[in-house]
Amino acid sequence: MMTKRFLPRWVLATTTGETLGFAVPAATGTVMAMVAAPPGVVYVAMIIAGAVEGALLGLGQWWGFGPTRPVPGRAWVGATAAGAALAWSIGMLPSTLGGLDPGSPRVIVAAALGGLVLLASIPVLQWLVLRRVLRPSWWWIPVNMGAWSVGLLWTLAPSPLVDERTPTAVLFGVYLLAGALMAATVAVLTGLAAGRITHTLTHDHAHSPAAPIS
């Protein structure tokens, strides 16, 4: 059974990591807009910023697992950073390419497939690390895809409230708040699944002391 300390620690650590992480692409995007950087430069900059976001999220989650951390920190952080970079590379394509017809069947299909890959990018790469120590662990993927599909809605919320006349500081603050709400949502919705991982491995190790975790 999950300890009383686990869920608060997971939510706090994951929310903090993702909030700090999201501030990096938020700040990067703001700077790119201020200097009117060309689309190609913005695309690369945002992918790099996304990788930093993922690294901070992964670090927060790894700490959130607690003393029984089931996976090596370097592998978990690296997988999360790579997944976030992939997600940003997909998410930035529409604004980078431009001129896309949203009513085109090809664009609709591509957007749907791209959205699925975007949502799966982080959990799939994390699962590749997790499956080394826990089988089956495939359920980590749909749980996280569902959590991110809900959490990402917060990043769309500011759009009707801001425009090109919005002061830069206000724009950054609004999106940072949206990022914090996204982070908290994902943290809460993945908490039980993360707790299941630590409980299962702790139980298994208690009955099999020689079972490796790294």
Side-chain angles (χ1 to χ4, degrees), residues 6-214:
F6 180 84
L7 192 56
R9 180 179 61 233
W10 172 266
V11 171
L12 176 61
T14 301
T15 300
T16 301
E18 173 58 14
T19 300
L20 294 175
F22 188 77
V24 177
T28 301
T30 300
V31 171
M32 292 293 101
M34 290 175 62
V35 301
V41 174
V42 174
Y43 186 73
V44 173
M46 294 304 292
I47 292 175
I48 295 173
V52 176
E53 175 191 3
L56 290 173
L57 168 62
L59 186 61
Q61 289 179 326
W62 187 74
W63 186 86
F65 276 122
T68 58
R69 294 179 181 101
V71 292
R74 183 175 298 178
W76 187 263
V77 171
T80 311
L86 175 59
W88 275 97
S89 70
I90 296 171
M92 289 297 297
L93 278 177
S95 60
T96 301
L97 296 176
L100 298 176
D101 178 10
S104 168
R106 291 184 179 181
V107 173
I108 293 174
V109 172
L113 293 176
L116 287 175
V117 176
L118 187 154
L119 291 173
S121 57
I122 291 177
V124 166
L125 292 181
Q126 289 181 332
W127 169 74
L128 292 176
V129 176
L130 186 60
R131 69 173 183 164
R132 301 174 190 171
V133 296
L134 179 65
R135 293 188 179 186
S137 54
W138 59 266
W139 42 265
W140 181 253
I141 298 174
V143 167
N144 276 264
M145 288 180 68
W148 281 106
S149 66
V150 176
L152 284 169
L153 294 177
W154 286 111
T155 64
L156 304 177
S159 297
L161 306 175
V162 298
D163 54 32
E164 64 278 359
R165 296 169 297 179
T166 303
T168 301
V170 174
L171 187 66
F172 177 76
V174 168
Y175 276 100
L176 187 60
L177 175 59
L181 292 171
M182 173 186 69
T185 300
V186 172
V188 170
L189 294 180
T190 57
L192 293 179
R196 176 181 173 184
I197 292 171
T198 58
H199 170 70
T200 301
L201 290 175
T202 300
H203 181 271
D204 289 347
H205 293 161
H207 291 79
S208 179
I213 64 170
S214 62

